[in-house]
Amino acid sequence: MKKLSNDFSGALRTFAYFMASGSHYMLKNVDYLKIYGSEPSAIEMVFAIFANVIEMDGEGNVLNFTHAQKRATDYLRSYCDPTFKVTPPFEDWEIELYGPPAQGR
């Protein structure tokens, strides 16, 4: 069995904390907390992008934490402010939504 690294766990925890607290520095002046509980698909996409973009080396060290956050928060900024344009535009693999694991796993 292979577990996710402590480095990834810390990256995910940190990202989740700042997203849930409304204090993510990349979303300054964006009132995004109002969509929690009312627009779950937007929050789902933020975490999907973060998970799809983040990269780790063979030892599980996170290589691009800031970039993964930027891509995810750019999505949310564009969701909350339709005039904001994500640059470069998202590629299909960045916004892919994968299903949950098969039952019993």
Side-chain angles (χ1 to χ4, degrees), residues 79-105:
Y79 187 89
C80 293
D81 175 6
T83 66
F84 179 79
K85 299 298 176 211
V86 176
T87 305
F90 289 109
E91 295 185 36
D92 290 343
W93 65 269
E94 291 177 291
I95 57 173
E96 185 73 31
L97 293 174
Y98 297 101
Q103 284 203 308
R105 287 198 283 168

Side-chain angles (χ1 to χ4, degrees), residues 7-51:
D7 205 40
F8 174 79
S9 180
L12 179 60
R13 179 205 54 80
T14 301
F15 182 65
Y17 172 83
F18 286 107
M19 290 302 302
S21 70
S23 61
H24 199 290
Y25 75 97
M26 291 181 181
L27 291 168
K28 192 171 181 145
N29 300 320
V30 177
D31 184 18
Y32 63 92
L33 283 182
K34 67 184 177 187
I35 67 173
Y36 276 74
S38 63
E39 299 178 52
S41 63
I43 304 306
E44 174 187 36
M45 183 58 75
V46 167
F47 281 89
I49 292 168
F50 180 80

